[in-house]
Amino acid sequence: MRGEPSSRLKWLALAVTGLTALLIYPRFALTHDASWYLMATSMWLDGAELYRDIVEINPPLSFYLTAPAVLVSRAIPVTPTEAYFGYCTGIAALSAAWIIRLLARSALAAAQRTMLFTAVLAVFFVLPIAEFGQREHLMLTLAMPYLLVLALGDLGPGSSRGERIAIGLMAALGLMLKPYFLLIPAGIVLARLARDRQWQRLFDWPNLAIGAALPGYFGLIVLVHPAYLAEIMPPARLVYAAYDGHPLALWLRPEVGAVLIATWIALRHRTSLDRVLTALLGGAAGALACYVIQNKGWDYHVLPLAALLLLVAAWIVPQRRAWRGNDRLLALLLGAVVLLTLGNQIARGPYRNPLADDLAAFVPGPGIGIAVLSADVAAGFPLVNRTSARWGSRYPAQWLVPGAHIRLQRGDCAGQVCRELADVLDRARGNMVDDLIRHRPERVFIDENPRKLFFGGEPFNYLAFLRRDARFAAAWSCYARIGRRHGYSVWARKCGS
């Protein structure tokens, strides 16, 4: 319990780690995705309509979970970015505190509890050093008590029905951020079923709570945000493949190497596999499937896989003597798993955005309206947050354009699909011109790189694209080019407001 020496040390470690994160992380830049959600959520709270005035591909839970940080920044004298760092740190700390209490009531040995909690602290506060506040990070902090209870099974804590429902509901908030995340607990459940055939486990209270939350969330989307299903999903299915990564980017990652090592350990010592390790490996398989299905190879997509691999290593270490074979070899292999997961993220260091750093020099002060014509979210964010500018677009980036342009240029369509892709481009063009006329941004940054991100090498010119709208010439006559950085031209508004 909390009064035991080992538990007191865990509370102390959590206090020190959480306070350190609270002091250090706000000194870094917030990731471009989290920065966008801060801006878009602020627009939403000010009256903008999701999926009409804010054209975002992800479902609405990301906005709901960001809203508390925005509201806090409006109530006390901190910036939205500082509030968001504090908010994410608070969620992680509360989740870790709950895990301390859950582990203290479990049937685990002291060394097992200590190693698992050490891994949890690393997952919450160190692993996401470059991705703090990303949806994958939020999911891990919200779902980790559930994932541990699910994996521990009979060795887990005795909990009341109310606590188990609460564990499931908190996990649902994280898992519903992306439907792919559900593959992680599914992997744990399937691994346990394959080993124990205890089908009644499917009906544990945390699982039932999640099962009830899923249709509730879908109902919220249908009733409150119908535009997401009607206006976002159809074009997204047509064009979002442009953001898929190269197979080499997907598979040539240190974390994938760690998966291979963990798999070899399990196969080499399969007679020593216990129920918990089997479950954790199942969760890792689900996290790998989640990463592969998204097919981007982006750094933050691999965080859940890295987290499960760290838990696998943490479970093996205290009982390594029960594993047959060379103890030194096992220690070396486990060290490699940790190095390839946690070490890789630490080597990347805090989030950096040189493009935003350089473009900020063209924003003369707070309140300046900014628009960015680019398919890259990192071109506009965290530039807008850092300069306290106004965002002059409904898009985080022009994500509708690359996929439609590529498919039409390459003839990767026929009949009705081609017409739908042309309609997507017409819609995007009209919205971009509407935003230019409505917001009259003082600065416009345009991607003029010959090989633009996500365009698959196909040439594309934003100004030529927009000139096909008859309204654009008059609106653009107010702008003059004033500079260029990293392949982006910079335009300033010369007309009056």
Side-chain angles (χ1 to χ4, degrees), residues 45-205:
L45 294 175
D46 287 337
E49 185 178 352
L50 288 183
Y51 308 114
R52 294 186 189 273
D53 303 317
I54 301 168
V55 183
E56 161 66 33
I57 193 171
N58 289 291
L61 186 56
S62 296
F63 297 98
Y64 284 86
L65 287 180
T66 305
V70 176
L71 293 173
V72 166
S73 72
R74 295 179 176 186
I76 62 176
V78 295
T79 67
T81 297
E82 292 169 338
Y84 189 72
F85 272 121
Y87 169 64
C88 294
T89 302
I91 292 175
L94 288 173
S95 181
W98 200 348
I99 288 170
I100 290 176
R101 298 185 65 85
L102 292 171
L103 291 175
R105 301 200 308 269
S106 72
L108 301 180
Q112 292 172 321
R113 295 197 298 267
T114 298
M115 287 304 302
L116 282 179
F117 183 70
T118 301
V120 166
L121 286 184
V123 167
F124 286 1
F125 297 106
V126 182
L127 181 68
I129 185 171
E131 310 292 353
F132 205 83
Q134 267 285 10
R135 284 158 293 165
E136 279 72 8
H137 180 216
L138 280 177
M139 181 277 292
L140 288 168
T141 59
L142 291 167
M144 187 60 75
Y146 166 66
L147 296 178
L148 285 176
V149 167
L150 197 62
L152 292 176
D154 293 335
L155 294 177
S159 301
S160 67
R161 178 188 301 177
E163 183 180 34
R164 295 178 74 80
I165 291 174
I167 288 171
L169 291 177
M170 187 173 86
L173 287 176
L175 297 171
M176 292 187 305
L177 280 167
K178 292 183 180 182
Y180 315 108
F181 291 155
L182 292 167
L183 293 171
I184 301 170
I188 295 176
V189 169
L190 290 175
R192 292 194 69 90
L193 287 177
R195 182 183 179 103
D196 300 334
R197 308 293 181 183
Q198 296 181 1
W199 297 96
Q200 67 273 18
R201 293 284 188 186
L202 291 173
F203 304 100
D204 284 350
W205 284 108

Side-chain angles (χ1 to χ4, degrees), residues 404 408 416-429:
L408 287 171
Q416 179 62 25
V417 173
C418 284
R419 289 189 289 272
E420 290 175 359
L421 289 168
D423 288 344
V424 168
L425 288 181
D426 288 342
R427 171 188 171 186
R429 182 189 298 109

Side-chain angles (χ1 to χ4, degrees), residues 25-31 35 81 85 130 132 350-353 357 382:
Y25 274 111
R27 298 174 180 268
F28 304 148
L30 192 60
T31 70
S35 299
T81 297
F85 272 121
F132 205 83
Y351 176 83
R352 298 177 180 87
N353 191 323
D357 295 341

Side-chain angles (χ1 to χ4, degrees), residues 180 213 359 482:
Y180 315 108
L359 295 184
I482 62 171

Side-chain angles (χ1 to χ4, degrees), residues 136-302:
E136 279 72 8
H137 180 216
L138 280 177
M139 181 277 292
L140 288 168
T141 59
L142 291 167
M144 187 60 75
Y146 166 66
L147 296 178
L148 285 176
V149 167
L150 197 62
L152 292 176
D154 293 335
L155 294 177
S159 301
S160 67
R161 178 188 301 177
E163 183 180 34
R164 295 178 74 80
I165 291 174
I167 288 171
L169 291 177
M170 187 173 86
L173 287 176
L175 297 171
M176 292 187 305
L177 280 167
K178 292 183 180 182
Y180 315 108
F181 291 155
L182 292 167
L183 293 171
I184 301 170
I188 295 176
V189 169
L190 290 175
R192 292 194 69 90
L193 287 177
R195 182 183 179 103
D196 300 334
R197 308 293 181 183
Q198 296 181 1
W199 297 96
Q200 67 273 18
R201 293 284 188 186
L202 291 173
F203 304 100
D204 284 350
W205 284 108
N207 296 339
L208 293 176
I210 294 172
L214 290 173
Y217 181 41
F218 183 74
L220 172 74
I221 295 174
V222 170
L223 296 175
V224 182
H225 305 288
Y228 179 71
L229 299 175
E231 300 184 25
I232 302 299
M233 291 304 296
R237 285 194 293 267
L238 288 172
V239 306
Y240 206 62
Y243 283 81
D244 287 351
H246 191 280
L248 290 179
L250 188 68
W251 292 106
L252 292 183
R253 293 194 59 95
E255 294 86 355
V256 175
V259 170
L260 296 177
I261 294 173
T263 302
W264 187 89
I265 292 174
L267 293 176
R268 176 68 176 80
H269 302 277
R270 55 185 177 271
T271 57
S272 299
L273 283 176
D274 57 34
R275 293 175 178 177
V276 176
L277 185 56
T278 300
L280 291 175
L281 288 170
L288 177 61
C290 173
Y291 167 73
V292 172
I293 289 173
Q294 292 182 87
N295 199 33
K296 304 293 187 296
W298 294 342
D299 291 311
Y300 61 89
H301 284 177
V302 83

